[in-house]
């Protein structure tokens, strides 16, 4: 069912919908927010749809899906099937089946059209008035505009639009704030575990407009306080539950949590946060060692549990094992490039999606991997590949000169660039 419906709806979905869609992620939603507010402070409608998956009206959803009779009957059967829990059947008069691969797609279909409604209510008027931007990740949404009245009207319009689907904005999780200044409390807002806020600064540290003029503020996106607290608590729980485990076992449990969390926040301003959490973890580990050896001194504990790393201080590592504790600050900060507009992996642009994801159903894995490695560029001419280009695999060091047929010795070139490089290689070999 998903394979039948998803390609059709991916061609219809709005550009600022990012939740549970192929080729899109939380990082795209955060980058879209940054692009919207980077040059001008704005008011924010920070909203959450109350019990979205549980309250979607079946009739309205089926009407909106508007698929063939066979698929419609099967979909209706699944929606009305009920839930069997401990031998007891609970009817499902509304909502979608959570845990199903189809559930996120149905939720996105139910919420599709909100951007269009807002755009129709606030039409663009030249360069004087720009419509509010609505950015949605599943049932979480953010509305952004420089005018407070427009944001208030957006909230009313959103609630009215959600009513036929049996949904509404959750009052306790819906608020209006500003990215730079507010009368009470702190400006900015939390979204998907990130804190998004603008800070007034001097002209030396100020962000700049597209014309190079200082804006007087700087837009910073960081891990939210709640996310930091939750991660620190998770590390503490792991250390506490491994009081009687060996060092290698503790490292094995900590590393996936640290790597996953730091990778998620590696696209924003997180370096200071990584260092602070790293210091907290070192204190936890020292407490872990003193619990195991209450009568030993600091130097003895350091020699037993920490090893000198070349130019990187000490690492928490056992003597007899190669296991090393991954440190938060080891994750590099790399800015995320937002997905282009309404692009979808189903749109046939195999060069773009292979360069972005390193995979595409219409392309050989080795070609897609090389496209991602080369960031979609031909190393010979420096130009980006296009769908209509003839692309060939070249050996950087020719096999006739002893080059191996391995990934590190392969590259993708335009056919004409390949001919030029091959001629050059022959000349070098002849010399």
């Amino acid at each position: 069912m998903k394979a039948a419906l998803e390609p059709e709806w991916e061609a219809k979905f709005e550009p600022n919908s990012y939740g549970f869609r192929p080729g899109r992620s939380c990082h795209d939603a955060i980058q879209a927010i940054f692009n919207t507010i980077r040059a001008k402070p704005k008011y924010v409608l920070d909203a959450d749809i109350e019990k979205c998956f549980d309250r979607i009206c079946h009739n309205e959803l089926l009407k909106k899906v508007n698929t063939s009779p066979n698929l419609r009957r099967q979909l209706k059967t699944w929606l009305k099937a009920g839930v069997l829990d401990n031998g007891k059947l609970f009817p499902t008069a509304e909502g979608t089946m959570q845990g199903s691969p189809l559930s996120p797609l149905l939720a996105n279909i139910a919420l599709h059209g909100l951007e269009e409604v807002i755009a129709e209510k606030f039409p663009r008027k030249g360069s004087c008035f720009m419509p509010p931007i609505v950015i949605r990740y599943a049932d979480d949404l953010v509305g952004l505009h420089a005018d407070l009245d427009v944001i208030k009207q957006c909230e009313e319009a959103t609630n009215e639009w959600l009513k036929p689907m049996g949904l509404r904005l959750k009052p306790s999780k819906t608020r209006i704030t500003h990215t730079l200044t507010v009368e009470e409390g702190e400006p900015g807002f939390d979204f998907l575990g990130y804190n998004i806020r603008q800070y007034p600064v001097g002209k030396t540290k100020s962000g700049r407009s597209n014309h190079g003029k200082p804006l007087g503020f700087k837009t910073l996106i960081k891990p939210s306080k709640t996310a930091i607290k939750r991660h620190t608590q998770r590390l503490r729980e792991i250390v506490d539950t491994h009081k009687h485990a060996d060092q290698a076992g503790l490292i094995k449990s900590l590393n996936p949590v640290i790597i996953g969390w730091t990778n998620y926040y590696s696209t924003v301003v997180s370096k200071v946060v990584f260092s602070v959490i790293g210091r907290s973890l070192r204190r936890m580990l020292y407490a872990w060692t003193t619990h195991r050896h209450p009568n030993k001194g600091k130097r003895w504990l350091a020699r037993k549990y920490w090893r000198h790393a070349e130019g990187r201080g000490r690492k928490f590592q056992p003597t007899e094992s190669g296991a090393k504790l991954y440190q938060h600050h080891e994750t590099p900060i790399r800015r995320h490039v937002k997905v282009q507009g309404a692009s979808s992996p189903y749109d046939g642009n195999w060069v773009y999606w292979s360069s972005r994801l390193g995979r595409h159903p219409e392309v050989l894995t080795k070609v897609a991997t090389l496209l991602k490695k080369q960031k979609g560029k031909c190393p010979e001419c420096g130009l980006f590949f296009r769908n209509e280009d003839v692309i060939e695999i070249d050996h950087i060091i020719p096999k006739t000169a002893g080059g191996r047929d391995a990934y590190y010795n392969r590259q993708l070139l335009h056919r004409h660039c390949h001919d030029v490089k091959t001629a050059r290689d022959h000349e070098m070999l002849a010399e």
Side-chain angles (χ1 to χ4, degrees):
M1 178 73 79
K2 183 183 179 185
L5 292 177
E6 191 172 64
E8 173 193 352
W9 280 94
E10 278 294 318
K12 300 177 182 178
F13 281 147
E14 297 153 326
N16 282 323
S17 165
Y18 298 98
F20 306 114
R21 291 180 56 189
R24 290 170 177 250
S25 66
C26 300
H27 300 115
D28 292 308
I30 296 301
Q31 191 61 36
I33 293 173
F34 177 79
N35 293 341
T36 304
I37 66 174
R38 62 180 295 273
K40 188 175 183 180
K42 293 185 178 178
Y43 286 96
V44 182
L45 170 63
D46 181 14
D48 177 74
I49 299 173
E50 186 174 12
K51 295 184 178 179
C52 175
F53 290 87
D54 296 332
R55 291 186 175 175
I56 292 175
C57 176
H58 290 170
N59 292 334
E60 289 295 322
L61 177 60
L62 291 169
K63 190 189 304 181
K64 199 168 185 179
V65 173
N66 192 27
T67 186
S68 67
N70 284 340
L71 291 182
R72 188 183 188 279
R73 279 195 297 271
Q74 182 62 68
L75 183 56
K76 184 177 180 180
T77 303
W78 283 336
L79 290 171
K80 301 288 186 183
V83 176
L84 190 65
D85 186 21
N86 292 326
K88 188 175 181 181
L89 183 66
F90 297 89
T92 49
E94 58 184 8
T96 62
M97 46 281 189
Q98 293 193 51
S100 159
L102 192 59
S103 183
L105 175 61
L106 294 177
N108 276 328
I109 292 173
L111 299 176
H112 170 68
L114 179 59
E115 283 186 56
E116 296 175 8
V117 168
I118 297 298
E120 289 174 4
K121 184 174 179 63
F122 304 98
R124 181 172 180 170
K125 299 175 183 177
S127 59
C128 299
F129 179 83
M130 300 292 288
I133 302 296
V134 177
I135 296 167
R136 183 173 60 82
Y137 190 92
D139 56 345
D140 292 328
L141 62 92
V142 170
L144 301 161
H145 198 268
D147 191 334
L148 178 58
D149 291 334
V150 171
I151 288 295
K152 289 179 179 178
Q153 292 177 52
C154 278
E155 183 179 6
E156 296 173 4
T158 301
N159 265 320
E160 285 296 319
W161 183 80
L162 289 172
K163 275 182 183 178
M165 196 60 70
L167 303 172
R168 66 166 187 164
L169 297 180
K170 191 171 184 177
S172 62
K173 289 189 177 180
T174 299
R175 70 187 189 108
I176 295 176
T177 184
H178 193 264
T179 56
L180 182 60
T181 55
V182 291
E183 293 182 1
E184 296 181 2
E186 288 187 353
F189 61 101
D190 291 349
F191 188 64
L192 302 178
Y194 296 87
N195 177 257
I196 302 156
R197 181 178 169 183
Q198 292 168 326
Y199 298 82
V201 293
K203 58 183 177 182
T204 56
K205 294 186 178 181
S206 170
R208 296 185 178 273
S209 68
N210 294 332
H211 302 290
K213 295 181 179 179
L215 299 170
F217 63 86
K218 194 171 186 66
T219 303
L220 296 180
I221 302 177
K222 307 175 184 178
S224 68
K225 292 180 181 178
T226 305
I228 295 170
K229 185 177 179 180
R230 187 165 53 240
H231 178 60
T232 306
Q233 183 61 31
R234 174 66 178 141
L235 296 176
R236 186 174 289 109
E237 288 172 0
I238 293 173
V239 174
D240 288 344
T241 54
H242 286 72
K243 282 183 178 179
H244 303 290
D246 60 358
Q247 188 178 8
L250 175 60
I251 291 172
K252 187 178 179 181
S253 298
L254 284 172
N255 276 350
V257 176
I258 296 171
I259 292 171
W261 195 85
T262 54
N263 281 341
Y264 182 73
Y265 291 103
S266 64
T267 61
V268 296
V269 186
S270 304
K271 208 65 181 177
V272 174
V273 173
F274 288 172
S275 297
V276 171
I277 297 177
R279 288 196 292 272
S280 298
L281 179 59
R282 283 195 292 274
R283 288 193 290 270
M284 295 179 206
L285 294 175
Y286 179 71
W288 180 82
T289 61
T290 55
H291 178 270
R292 293 170 68 87
H293 307 281
N295 299 321
K296 296 295 183 179
K298 292 182 180 179
R299 291 184 180 180
W300 187 92
L301 294 172
R303 284 195 301 269
K304 181 171 177 61
Y305 291 102
W306 275 269
R307 303 284 161 264
H308 281 285
E310 296 179 1
R312 296 185 179 181
R314 293 190 171 195
K315 277 203 169 186
F316 190 71
Q317 180 183 3
T319 308
E320 69 283 353
S321 172
K324 297 179 183 178
L325 180 68
Y326 188 88
Q327 299 182 55
H328 289 75
H329 64 79
E330 291 182 50
T331 300
I333 302 297
R334 293 192 180 97
R335 299 293 172 240
H336 180 76
V337 179
K338 191 182 83 69
V339 65
Q340 292 178 357
S343 295
S344 164
Y346 296 102
D347 60 13
N349 191 350
W350 63 270
V351 170
Y352 173 74
W353 287 105
S354 296
S355 304
R356 186 174 180 86
L357 302 177
R359 64 182 185 275
H360 194 274
E362 299 177 6
V363 183
L364 293 173
T365 303
K366 59 183 179 181
V367 174
T369 303
L370 289 171
L371 273 170
K372 184 175 182 181
K373 180 182 175 183
Q374 297 173 202
K375 298 182 179 179
K377 282 187 178 181
C378 172
E380 185 70 19
C381 63
L383 299 177
F384 284 99
F385 292 114
R386 298 177 298 178
N387 282 348
E388 60 270 19
D389 291 341
V390 180
I391 303 173
E392 296 179 346
I393 297 177
D394 169 66
H395 292 89
I396 300 171
I397 300 174
K399 295 176 75 173
T400 54
R404 297 186 62 183
D405 188 20
Y407 268 113
Y408 67 82
N409 194 42
R410 294 179 188 171
Q411 62 181 354
L412 294 179
L413 300 175
H414 293 107
R415 174 176 285 179
H416 55 278
C417 293
H418 193 191
D419 293 340
V420 172
K421 182 184 178 296
T422 302
R424 188 170 64 245
D425 289 341
H426 285 320
E427 290 178 3
M428 292 176 64
L429 291 171
E431 294 175 359

